[in-house]
Amino acid sequence: MSTFRSISNSSVIIHPPGFYIIGFQSFPFISAYIIFLAFIYMLSVVFNSLLIYIIAVNHCLHTPKFLAITNLAVIDLVLNTCIIPSMIKVFLIKDNFVPFNPCLVQMFVCYAFVTLESYAVTILAYDRLIAICFPFRQNSINTVRSMLCIISTSWCFGLGLSTFTTSSMTRLSFCNSVRVFSYFCDYAPVFRLACNDYSLQWSAASWLSVLLLGVPFVFIFLTYMCILGTVFKMKSLDRRVKALTTCIEHIIVVAIFYIPLLVIFSIGFYVKVVEPDKRVLSLSLASCMPPCINPIVYSLTTKEIKIRAQAIFRKNKVNGKI
């Protein structure tokens, strides 16, 4: 096998031409599953694009909450575009070779936008916290400008974190197997193929899990503890119900994103042995489904978006009859 060699710190670093993605080796219905994901991808593109369009063209929706929802929709679009088309190429077209540099690019984009997805859901929790716990100071605390600053900071941190973890892969030598058992150029399955020390990458993966899942989930949990404390102090039952109703769509999004990932990682941590195909199937569903479901949830449960979506469809229907 021809390899690319570079000299670094007086040692030879061996980079292969690329990797072979070999997930779902014993999964019997892989073609049907990939076609299902292709359908999910089309729905994700349509619904997220529609959500972004509705918010963009309605100036009354240019508020911190809907800015955060737009941020989530953009992230969802990029995340599914990074994962599902490549899965179609690998598992449906059966072209499973990914060159070394494109593999690192996919790794960077996937982990950057999974991180950003987690932070986007956390930012929406912050928005609910301010709206319910500080209603009289909401307009002064949670402004469009402050929300832009929070979103920009999350992007800088997410992209920076992914840049560090991905760039560390260039320090590894791959002189044995180049078969990656996953559904994309996954970070841990790739660095475990290295024939030199990958303790730095292992530490980065551990900290990435904490910063990606642990910290945001704890923040969201504490946020809802504060929200529940504030709600139960309200004297009016109607006010309690109204306050909790505004959180329904966010709670659904949190459950869809965090619960599958936390369950998968917890089983892997405590049980240790998880069938590879089941792990790949679970992770691929956990990463591909939320970007499709999120815009549907916000479109169906958010009154402002639902009203404007219906207005657009009615207008198009009238124009079509004319």
Side-chain angles (χ1 to χ4, degrees):
M1 177 182 67
S2 63
T3 57
F4 171 77
R5 295 169 181 258
S6 60
I7 305 300
S8 177
N9 296 327
S10 301
S11 61
V12 177
I13 302 297
I14 304 172
H15 292 167
F19 298 96
Y20 291 92
I21 310 299
I22 58 164
F24 301 113
Q25 283 191 321
S26 60
F27 189 65
F29 306 108
I30 183 60
S31 296
Y33 176 61
I34 298 302
I35 292 171
F36 166 74
L37 287 185
F39 177 69
I40 290 297
Y41 176 63
M42 289 188 290
L43 288 180
S44 175
V45 171
V46 170
F47 283 116
N48 280 297
S49 299
L50 181 62
L51 184 61
I52 294 168
Y53 173 77
I54 290 171
I55 295 173
V57 299
N58 289 275
H59 292 285
C60 57
L61 296 182
H62 294 180
T63 62
K65 175 183 176 179
F66 291 105
L67 181 61
I69 291 174
T70 302
N71 176 55
L72 179 62
V74 171
I75 293 166
D76 286 339
L77 267 176
V78 177
L79 183 58
N80 261 2
T81 300
C82 175
I83 296 175
I84 296 180
S86 70
M87 290 183 70
I88 293 171
K89 169 182 173 289
V90 169
F91 300 111
L92 200 59
I93 303 176
K94 306 298 183 185
D95 180 10
N96 68 334
F97 179 76
V98 183
F100 184 81
N101 288 331
C103 179
L104 294 188
V105 170
Q106 186 189 40
M107 186 185 298
F108 167 78
V109 174
C110 284
Y111 275 94
F113 280 86
V114 168
T115 304
L116 289 173
E117 174 109 357
S118 181
Y119 294 158
V121 175
T122 307
I123 290 170
L124 284 163
Y126 161 79
D127 174 79
R128 291 298 84 208
L129 174 71
I130 300 300
I132 294 173
C133 298
F134 307 97
F136 300 109
R137 298 176 60 194
Q138 179 183 1
N139 293 333
S140 59
I141 297 175
N142 194 22
T143 63
V144 171
R145 184 175 180 179
S146 66
M147 183 58 74
L148 277 172
C149 289
I150 292 170
I151 291 172
S152 299
T153 302
S154 73
W155 275 69
C156 290
F157 186 76
L159 294 176
L161 192 65
S162 188
T163 299
F164 170 74
T165 53
T166 305
S167 62
S168 70
M169 300 295 287
T170 59
R171 304 180 186 182
L172 298 178
S173 283
F174 299 90
C175 45
N176 297 314
S177 174
V178 288
R179 292 156 57 88
V180 179
F181 201 99
S182 187
Y183 58 101
F184 73 107
C185 283
D186 202 351
Y187 186 66
V190 171
F191 76 63
R192 285 177 179 144
L193 299 176
C195 51
N196 59 343
D197 179 41
Y198 54 75
S199 56
L200 171 65
Q201 289 72 23
W202 179 264
S203 299
S206 302
W207 280 106
L208 184 65
S209 299
V210 172
L211 295 173
L212 168 62
L213 294 175
V215 173
F217 186 76
V218 169
F219 177 85
I220 293 170
F221 177 79
L222 294 176
T223 293
Y224 275 100
M225 290 298 100
C226 294
I227 288 173
L228 287 174
T230 300
V231 167
F232 286 124
K233 289 179 183 177
M234 296 176 180
K235 296 179 180 179
S236 169
L237 180 61
D238 289 340
R239 286 187 62 198
R240 292 182 184 181
V241 173
K242 186 177 179 180
L244 291 175
T245 301
T246 63
C247 298
I248 290 175
E249 66 265 22
H250 182 256
I251 292 172
I252 294 171
V253 168
V254 169
I256 291 168
F257 180 74
Y258 283 105
I259 290 178
L261 290 176
L262 289 171
V263 168
I264 293 165
F265 282 109
S266 297
I267 291 173
F269 183 78
Y270 290 106
V271 180
K272 301 295 184 183
V273 179
V274 180
E275 289 185 30
D277 273 341
K278 289 183 179 179
R279 176 186 174 276
V280 173
L281 178 65
S282 301
L283 284 175
S284 61
L285 276 174
S287 59
C288 294
M289 291 301 292
C292 175
I293 298 173
N294 290 345
I296 297 174
V297 168
Y298 275 105
S299 298
L300 293 178
T301 60
T302 305
K303 184 178 178 182
E304 298 92 334
I305 293 177
K306 188 160 56 173
I307 290 171
R308 281 156 183 83
Q310 290 171 348
I312 290 173
F313 286 122
R314 279 197 300 266
K315 183 179 178 181
N316 290 338
K317 190 175 180 180
V318 170
N319 292 338
K321 289 181 178 179
I322 294 173

